[in-house]
Amino acid sequence: MQAFTAGAAAGLPSEAEWEYACRAGTRTAYSFGETITGEEVNYWSEERRRNMTVAVRSLPANPWGLYEMHGNVWEWCADASGSGAGVAERALRGGSWLDYARDARSAPRGALAPGYPSRDFGFRFALRSTSPAGATEWPAPRSGVALAAGRGQG
């Protein structure tokens, strides 16, 4: 793990970082387009109910190669949001397997106190460069992912 993270600091993403990564250069409601299916995203629907989270890489990646950005679990972000009962709430993004497709879009958000336990909450780390040069650009979409999803240009 140290070799993988050498020159990087790990932490929760800000809401802006999370949404940028989720959208992966797209301008649609989902990184997969304006609509989704159960084959692309783990969300609740009458037609397709998994009733649980899925393992990472169980569903297709977004155009930047990030998995399960839509649905599966709400993801904690670093940003405080609102003013709970004396405890700052923390932003949640992404929707979950317990929520409708509309909650799995790139834009919706929730917020709760950090100690609130739930089986549909999770997190992902954002790696930030600690080198003086730093990372200046997000990666270009991987052509195989974009083409396999029937989106993007070949």
Side-chain angles (χ1 to χ4, degrees):
M1 180 70 163
Q2 285 182 337
F4 178 73
T5 60
L12 292 175
S14 70
E15 279 195 85
E17 289 171 326
W18 188 95
E19 187 168 335
Y20 191 74
C22 181
R23 288 186 182 278
T26 65
R27 296 180 187 264
T28 53
Y30 308 92
S31 63
F32 299 106
E34 292 296 339
T35 61
I36 53 171
T37 68
E39 286 75 36
E40 295 169 319
V41 175
N42 188 16
Y43 65 96
W44 189 90
S45 75
E46 286 292 332
E47 297 80 39
R48 183 170 182 126
R49 288 183 267 173
R50 289 187 178 93
N51 294 323
M52 69 177 86
T53 59
V54 296
V56 174
R57 294 187 173 200
S58 296
L59 301 169
N62 75 9
W64 285 351
L66 301 172
Y67 291 88
E68 281 74 58
M69 291 295 295
H70 299 285
N72 209 34
V73 295
W74 284 98
E75 297 183 13
W76 291 105
C77 292
D79 302 318
S81 175
S83 62
V87 176
E89 294 180 334
R90 190 170 296 258
L92 290 156
R93 301 297 298 266
S96 82
W97 59 274
L98 284 170
D99 298 302
Y100 292 107
R102 68 176 175 259
D103 294 321
R105 292 175 294 129
S106 301
R109 63 194 298 263
L112 287 170
Y116 188 87
S118 180
R119 60 188 175 155
D120 66 329
F121 291 177
F123 66 93
R124 78 176 63 225
F125 281 126
L127 294 177
R128 294 174 182 86
S129 175
T130 58
S131 74
T136 58
E137 295 182 14
W138 284 86
R142 298 184 319 179
S143 61
V145 173
L147 294 174
R151 296 160 179 84
Q153 300 176 7

